[in-house]
């Protein structure tokens, strides 16, 4: 039974804790987005035939646990030297890259960054 004569007033909800939580979430997302680095990696699909008189393309296969250049096993460390051996003097070399479905995207990016450092390479990714 309600008490007569006493007026119960409801206090409005305090907005300060809600504003604090929203501010902390905003701060968290702003800070976390500044630590993410985005880079652009140009990909080129392998096209039709090669130009007449051009050097034959080099075939690179990327698998989760193995990397092979024209059928020979290589590592990421020895790949630049192995590619340099196959480069005719003064020519651009077409590199056809076949990527296994099991390869992680980070593994592909690591390889593309390494290949990008060689300006004489024209990398084409096989679909």
């Amino acid at each position: 039974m309600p008490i007569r004569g006493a007026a119960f007033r409801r206090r409005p909800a305090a907005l300060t804790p809600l504003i604090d939580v929203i501010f902390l979430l905003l701060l968290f997302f702003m800070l976390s987005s500044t630590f993410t680095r985005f880079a652009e990696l140009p990909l080129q699909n392998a096209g039709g035939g090669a130009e007449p008189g051009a050097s034959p393309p080099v075939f690179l296969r990327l698998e989760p646990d193995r990397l092979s250049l024209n059928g020979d096993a290589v590592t990421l460390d020895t790949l630049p030297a192995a590619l340099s051996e196959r480069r005719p003097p003064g020519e651009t070399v077409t590199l056809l890259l076949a990527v296994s479905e099991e390869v992680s995207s980070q593994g592909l990016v690591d390889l593309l960054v390494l290949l990008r450092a060689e300006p004489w390479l024209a990398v084409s990714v096989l679909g």
Side-chain angles (χ1 to χ4, degrees), residues 68-102:
S68 62
L69 182 65
N70 285 347
D72 300 329
V74 292
T75 64
L76 283 177
D77 296 332
T78 61
L79 181 61
L83 285 170
S84 294
E85 292 173 3
R86 289 173 170 79
R87 177 186 183 202
E91 286 189 31
T92 299
V93 174
T94 302
L95 182 118
L96 300 175
L97 175 61
V99 182
S100 171
E101 290 183 14
E102 296 84 26

Side-chain angles (χ1 to χ4, degrees), residues 6 8 11 15 19-20 22 25 34 41 45 49 56 60 67 72 79 85 89-91 101 104 113 116-118 124:
F8 288 106
R11 286 186 359 171
L15 293 179
I19 292 172
D20 287 346
I22 292 172
L25 284 172
T34 59
L41 289 172
N45 263 347
L60 181 64
L67 188 64
D72 300 329
L79 181 61
E85 292 173 3
E91 286 189 31
E101 290 183 14
S104 68
V113 166
R116 193 172 165 185
E118 305 295 337
S124 295

